[in-house]
């Protein structure tokens, strides 16, 4: 029996989750991977009434899905590439996301400053097309700005040579908390989600995938899982499971993912105060530069650099940081320096390789997603972007139905499904640009505020009650889970996060009874402040 997504915070006691995992029976759908794509599939399938299990090897959104530029967007640069269909879909999905999670996503105004006479009309016309594609899903009207108006929006923009600018609208969100809201929404509809439970082997019957084995990393216990359908949604790591599937069938597969690295440097808001974001569509080498207000700080980025490997904690290359700081100096009166960086983090994008040229630059590779079904029945999905996670999930389910791996169900309902914390009707005022606070909990804010420790402030806008809520209702097991993805301090002020590790760890251990790995977190936080040589 399914439930609504807003009936209050459901407990996430690990003992209960593992007890359900140990129960005999066959799951309609097992999703491997707890990032944006896998969680989206779990929500869609569970909301249709399927019996759903999702397994994540680390924490939900541990990889790419917590390291985005925090933008819900149609993709202005994709429009320049001529990919109108992708932009139109993303613009529609942008509005759907803002409607279904208004506590975690909001409209954000961007300004493109013009330092050449032709830039304002050139980019302005393109952005008017962007508005036209959005239609009724538009968030605001594109405006041509004078020099004075541009400086009013971007007070610290370099005034020398400034001709004017263009203002347009896109969306902003909290990626890791949105992933968590998806996990909890899927659970509210009957799905079982277990983090820190990697898949160890795939199992087969008569050459067809029939299930898998997984292991709880805390106890080491193995679980055998039977499944009608298995979806590989492990993002940049999908080729690992594809290879395992191919080897079981004595076949080979060609890798389909071309990892691309995006670096983000976080600095204080004084470098670009105000409520507008900076967007430079074409820097010296053709890349895009963003300056985005988020959680009381400013995110500068991003790069698009190919990688031949896929580490869990990628670090920036020197030339990437030099690019971000160097380009910022071309547009800001006072440019940040290395010592001004509060947190430096990297996300790997799972771009799908083009059919012909493995050496194609990643910035030229389409951001569209791909769904493949192997001979054994393993369904793999990769590519795409956060904004279109819901549409991707619908596509995955449709492929599962077409391959007769799952009995067809009624059409999906997620286009009008408020996520956990969202009001059932009407808008909820929020501000992702503001420092962390109870507004991120939406309709659950009162419940968090009522917990013991709500008046015990830890620093950075965090309270002891927030840590307790994360342990009891948000699947948190480690200090990194709490300070990295539940409360986001690792991504905004790594030094402060390290200082709070022991206190957060003590609170967490009191709730869970397990080692919260505070020392390991301090080492991780130090790496977010380590500048590339």
């Amino acid at each position: 029996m399914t439930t609504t997504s807003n009936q209050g915070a459901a407990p996430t006691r690990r003992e209960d989750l593992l007890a359900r995992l140990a129960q005999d029976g066959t799951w309609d759908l097992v999703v491997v991977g707890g990032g944006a794509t896998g969680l989206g599939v779990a929500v869609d399938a569970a909301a249709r009434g399927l019996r759903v299990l999702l397994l994540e090897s680390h924490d939900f959104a541990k990889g790419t899905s917590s390291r985005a530029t925090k933008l819900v967007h149609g993709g202005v640069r994709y429009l320049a590439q001529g990919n109108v269909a992708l932009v139109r879909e993303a613009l529609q999905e942008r509005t759907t996301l803002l409607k279904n999670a208004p506590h975690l996503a909001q409209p954000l105004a961007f300004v493109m400053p013009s330092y050449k006479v032709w830039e304002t009309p050139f980019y302005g016309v393109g952005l008017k097309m962007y508005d036209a594609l959005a239609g009724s899903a538009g968030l605001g009207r594109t405006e041509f700005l004078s020099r004075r108006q541009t400086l009013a929006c971007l007070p610290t923009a370099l005034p020398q040579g400034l001709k004017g600018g263009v203002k347009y609208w896109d969306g902003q969100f909290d990626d890791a908390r949105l992933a968590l809201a998806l996990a909890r929404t899927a659970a509210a509809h009957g799905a079982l989600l277990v983090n820190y439970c990697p898949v160890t082997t795939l199992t087969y019957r008569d050459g067809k995938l029939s299930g898998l084995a997984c292991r709880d990393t805390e106890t080491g216990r193995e679980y055998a899982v039977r499944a009608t359908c298995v979806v590989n949604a492990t993002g940049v790591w999908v080729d690992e499971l594809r290879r395992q599937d191919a080897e079981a069938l004595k076949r080979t597969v060609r890798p389909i993912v071309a990892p691309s690295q995006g670096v983000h440097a976080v600095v204080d808001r004084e470098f670009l105060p105000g409520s507008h974001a900076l967007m430079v569509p074409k820097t010296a080498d053709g890349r895009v530069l963003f300056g985005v207000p988020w959680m009381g700080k400013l995110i500068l980025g991003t790069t698009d650099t190919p990688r031949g490997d896929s580490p869990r904690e990628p670090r920036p290359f020197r030339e990437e940081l030099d690019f971000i700081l160097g380009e910022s100096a071309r547009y800001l009166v006072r440019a940040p320096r290395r010592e001004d960086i509060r947190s430096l983090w990297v996300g790997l994008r799972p771009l799908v390789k083009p059919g012909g040229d493995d050496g194609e630059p990643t910035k030229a590779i389409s951001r569209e997603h791909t769904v493949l079904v192997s001979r054994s029945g393993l369904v793999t999905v990769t590519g795409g972007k956060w904004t279109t996670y819901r549409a991707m999930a619908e596509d995955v389910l449709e492929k599962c139905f077409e391959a007769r791996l799952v009995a067809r169900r009624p059409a999906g309902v997620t286009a009008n499904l408020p996520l956990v914390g969202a009001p059932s009707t009407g808008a909820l005022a929020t501000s992702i640009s503001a420092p962390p606070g109870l507004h991120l909990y939406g309709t659950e804010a009162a419940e968090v505020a009522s917990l013991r420790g709500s008046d015990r402030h830890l620093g950075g806008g965090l309270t002891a009650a927030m840590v307790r809520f994360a342990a009891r209702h948000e699947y948190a097991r480690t200090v990194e889970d709490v300070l990295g993805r539940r409360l986001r301090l690792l991504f905004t002020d790594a030094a402060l996060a390290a200082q709070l590790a022991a206190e957060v760890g003590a609170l967490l251990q009191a709730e869970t009874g397990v080692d919260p790995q505070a020392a390991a977190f301090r080492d991780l936080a130090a790496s977010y402040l380590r500048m590339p040589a």
Side-chain angles (χ1 to χ4, degrees), residues 36-258:
T37 306
L39 292 167
V41 171
V43 171
D44 188 301
R48 297 190 201 213
L50 293 171
R51 190 165 184 256
V52 178
L53 166 67
L54 184 144
L55 300 169
E56 163 56 42
S57 60
H58 295 76
D59 185 30
F60 304 123
K62 158 71 175 175
T64 303
S65 296
S66 62
R67 304 159 189 260
T69 314
K70 320 307 179 195
L71 302 182
V72 186
H73 63 114
V76 173
R77 60 175 167 163
Y78 310 145
L79 184 60
Q81 294 172 2
N83 199 334
V84 174
L86 176 63
V87 174
R88 182 181 287 114
E89 177 187 62
L91 286 170
Q92 295 297 321
E93 290 301 316
R94 178 188 69 179
T95 299
T96 299
L97 198 160
L98 268 62
K99 175 189 68 176
N100 288 340
H103 58 310
L104 298 173
Q106 66 176 46
L108 178 66
F110 287 74
V111 174
M112 290 184 182
S114 302
Y115 289 88
K116 295 182 176 64
V117 174
W118 59 268
E119 288 179 323
T120 296
F122 178 79
Y123 292 121
V125 169
L127 288 166
K128 289 289 187 182
M129 291 177 57
Y130 195 59
D131 290 351
L133 284 173
S136 60
L139 302 179
R141 180 173 56 88
T142 293
E143 302 174 50
F144 294 85
L145 303 179
S146 66
R147 181 179 185 277
R148 180 182 60 79
Q149 290 172 320
T150 301
L151 288 173
C153 295
L154 304 175
T156 54
L158 198 66
Q160 290 87 353
L162 182 66
K163 309 298 182 186
V166 183
K167 177 180 175 179
Y168 74 100
W169 291 83
D170 248 325
Q172 180 182 46
F173 76 133
D174 185 330
D175 50 4
R177 288 206 64 84
L178 181 65
L180 190 64
L182 288 171
R184 298 178 62 211
T185 301
H189 285 81
L192 171 62
L193 298 95
V194 187
N195 52 354
Y196 296 104
C197 194
V199 171
T200 54
T201 57
L202 299 174
T203 55
Y204 299 83
R205 179 178 296 169
D206 300 326
K208 295 297 181 182
L209 189 58
S210 60
L212 49 82
C214 58
R215 183 185 72 254
D216 171 28
T217 58
E218 292 185 5
T219 63
R221 179 178 173 181
E222 296 268 351
Y223 296 85
V225 173
R226 287 185 290 173
T228 302
C229 179
V230 176
V231 174
N232 174 17
T234 52
V236 75
W237 298 280
V238 292
D239 286 324
E240 295 176 14
L241 209 58
R242 291 180 67 241
R243 278 192 293 269
Q244 188 179 144
D245 178 57
E247 288 169 3
L249 302 178
K250 296 180 170 55
R251 299 177 60 84
T252 59
V253 290
R254 180 184 179 186
I256 60 172
V257 171

Side-chain angles (χ1 to χ4, degrees), residues 22-45:
Q23 291 175 1
D24 196 18
T26 300
W27 299 90
D28 295 323
L29 195 73
V30 174
V31 182
V32 184
T37 306
L39 292 167
V41 171
V43 171
D44 188 301

Side-chain angles (χ1 to χ4, degrees), residues 275-335:
S275 58
H276 293 73
L278 166 71
M279 197 277 202
V280 179
K282 192 171 184 180
T283 59
D285 68 354
R287 285 181 284 186
V288 175
L289 176 72
F290 289 104
V292 179
W294 187 71
M295 296 284 180
K297 301 292 183 181
L298 178 71
I299 299 176
L300 294 170
T302 175
T303 58
D304 202 341
T305 308
R307 283 195 73 126
D309 59 349
S310 304
R312 289 287 172 177
E313 283 292 343
R315 299 307 302 151
F317 302 123
R318 177 176 180 172
E319 55 269 26
E320 292 179 300
L321 182 57
D322 289 345
F323 162 76
I324 291 173
L325 296 180
E327 289 299 315
S328 297
R330 296 180 60 201
Y331 295 96
L332 298 177
V333 172
R334 178 181 165 226

Side-chain angles (χ1 to χ4, degrees), residues 268-418:
D268 290 335
R269 283 285 290 278
E270 64 188 53
F271 291 98
L272 186 64
S275 58
H276 293 73
L278 166 71
M279 197 277 202
V280 179
K282 192 171 184 180
T283 59
D285 68 354
R287 285 181 284 186
V288 175
L289 176 72
F290 289 104
V292 179
W294 187 71
M295 296 284 180
K297 301 292 183 181
L298 178 71
I299 299 176
L300 294 170
T302 175
T303 58
D304 202 341
T305 308
R307 283 195 73 126
D309 59 349
S310 304
R312 289 287 172 177
E313 283 292 343
R315 299 307 302 151
F317 302 123
R318 177 176 180 172
E319 55 269 26
E320 292 179 300
L321 182 57
D322 289 345
F323 162 76
I324 291 173
L325 296 180
E327 289 299 315
S328 297
R330 296 180 60 201
Y331 295 96
L332 298 177
V333 172
R334 178 181 165 226
R337 297 169 296 180
R338 288 183 170 217
E339 55 265 33
D340 296 314
I341 294 175
R342 299 293 188 181
S343 185
L344 183 64
W345 37 272
V346 180
L348 296 181
R349 304 182 185 97
L351 305 183
V352 181
K353 289 185 177 182
D357 182 10
D358 287 351
E360 185 173 351
T362 54
K363 67 182 178 182
I365 298 177
S366 171
R367 267 52 177 175
E368 292 181 278
H369 68 276
T370 291
V371 183
L372 303 174
V373 182
S374 76
R375 290 195 177 188
S376 73
L378 177 67
V379 179
T380 295
V381 54
T382 193
K385 58 180 182 173
W386 245 120
T387 305
T388 56
Y389 84 88
R390 196 200 64 82
M392 290 167 60
E394 286 190 337
D395 191 23
V396 170
L397 265 294
E398 186 59 32
K399 294 295 192 298
C400 294
F401 298 148
E402 290 175 358
R404 297 184 178 180
L405 297 170
V406 180
R408 184 172 288 277
R409 294 295 177 110
V413 299
T414 55
N416 297 296
L417 180 66

